[in-house]
Amino acid sequence: MEAPILLSSSIPNLFSFFIFFLIIYLIAYFIIFPSWKPKLRPEASSCVISFFHGTPAVFLAVTSLLTDPDRNFHSTNTPFQNMVLDYSIAYFLMDLTHYLIFYPSDVLFIGHHLATLFVFVTCRYMVYHGAYAILVLLILAEVTSFVQNTWTLANARKSDVEFAAKVYAVLSPPFYVLYSLVRGIAGPYFVYRMLSYYLSGAADNVIPRWIWVSWVFVVVTAISVSILWVSNLWVELYKEMSRKFEKKVR
């Protein structure tokens, strides 16, 4: 009876968290950014709900892991860890709704959100184990979110707001460095440890092989796309700095 009990106790939390993110999105769209261009308002509102998810999720996930003395790659999810998973599921459902309404052709982000939801939902509602691995990955994914959202907002207004242009210029190099370290080094290292553990068969009795294989596939794909994305940003930054240097020389 454990699964039905967990399900019935979690649905109200999930619904409450979704309403929470929905209200924040509506406040951002209609109150915080009413004067922004129609094309920018949805993206800016998405950044706001990401502010309310990313950094809080990192602290919640860290706390949930530190308070679990039995944590490992196949340990049973604690109630605290399940709550963090519900919090993130609600956020991704809200942001997925945002993309389906305003950017239905953005297959990359819609696919990313669907794949992420698959990982969270299977961990939370199907196997009830493995939250340690999923939450560490969540921490690595969201630890850069505050800087990334600030950078994204500045990038959106840099062409018509001088302060935004300055913030974008100052923030870009350190953001690229941090993002590269997390997605290019820390993330792949942890996925290697995760894959090695699951390949040993130690988790097969509680996490079906097809599920953890799916988790690894989703994470490796996401990390690969992230590395490609930040690599393109580095190339653009190099070109921009080269142009500025050439102007100074002339």
Side-chain angles (χ1 to χ4, degrees):
M1 293 298 293
E2 180 184 6
I5 292 174
L6 287 172
L7 185 63
S8 62
S9 63
S10 178
I11 293 300
N13 287 338
L14 184 58
F15 180 74
S16 298
F17 289 144
F18 181 82
I19 295 300
F20 169 73
F21 286 114
L22 174 60
I23 291 173
I24 292 173
Y25 187 93
L26 294 176
I27 290 174
Y29 191 87
F30 291 106
I31 299 177
I32 300 177
F33 303 114
S35 62
W36 283 39
K37 297 177 181 179
K39 290 184 178 180
L40 298 179
R41 286 174 70 189
E43 181 181 10
S45 301
S46 176
C47 285
V48 172
I49 62 170
S50 183
F51 275 124
F52 279 87
H53 169 256
T55 303
V58 169
F59 284 107
L60 289 171
V62 168
T63 304
S64 74
L65 295 177
L66 292 179
T67 55
D68 178 16
D70 301 320
R71 62 186 181 275
N72 58 52
F73 284 100
H74 75 287
S75 57
T76 304
N77 302 351
T78 67
F80 194 173
Q81 291 165 357
N82 283 334
M83 184 273 289
V84 180
L85 289 171
D86 285 336
Y87 188 71
S88 290
I89 289 170
Y91 161 74
F92 279 103
L93 283 174
M94 180 60 236
D95 209 43
L96 176 62
T97 302
H98 149 80
Y99 274 99
L100 291 174
I101 293 174
F102 292 104
Y103 309 105
S105 61
D106 196 335
V107 179
L108 181 61
F109 267 94
I110 291 174
H112 168 269
H113 281 28
L114 288 173
T116 302
L117 282 168
F118 168 82
V119 173
F120 285 144
V121 169
T122 51
C123 177
R124 174 65 184 90
Y125 293 103
M126 288 186 64
V127 298
Y128 309 105
H129 292 74
Y132 165 72
I134 304 308
L135 292 181
V136 170
L137 292 169
L138 174 66
I139 292 167
L140 293 174
E142 299 296 344
V143 72
T144 58
S145 67
F146 182 87
V147 180
Q148 182 172 350
N149 286 317
T150 305
W151 175 87
T152 300
L153 290 173
N155 185 33
R157 297 302 303 271
K158 66 179 182 180
S159 61
D160 58 336
V161 178
E162 184 179 354
F163 178 73
K166 291 181 179 179
V167 171
Y168 177 82
V170 171
L171 208 55
S172 289
F175 166 57
Y176 298 171
V177 170
L178 177 62
Y179 194 93
S180 299
L181 291 174
V182 173
R183 303 298 178 101
I185 298 177
Y189 170 72
F190 185 79
V191 172
Y192 166 76
R193 288 186 53 204
M194 177 180 171
L195 179 60
S196 298
Y197 186 90
Y198 288 144
L199 283 174
S200 71
D204 285 352
N205 61 327
V206 291
I207 304 177
R209 185 169 290 262
W210 72 269
I211 286 184
W212 68 252
V213 168
S214 301
W215 290 356
V216 171
F217 175 78
V218 168
V219 173
V220 169
T221 301
I223 289 177
S224 300
V225 172
S226 296
I227 292 174
L228 178 62
W229 180 72
V230 77
S231 298
N232 289 333
L233 292 178
W234 277 116
V235 171
E236 291 178 9
L237 180 63
Y238 173 77
K239 291 180 179 178
E240 183 179 348
M241 294 180 67
S242 297
R243 286 194 296 268
K244 289 181 178 179
F245 179 76
E246 290 178 359
K247 289 182 179 179
K248 288 183 178 180
V249 172
R250 292 176 183 175

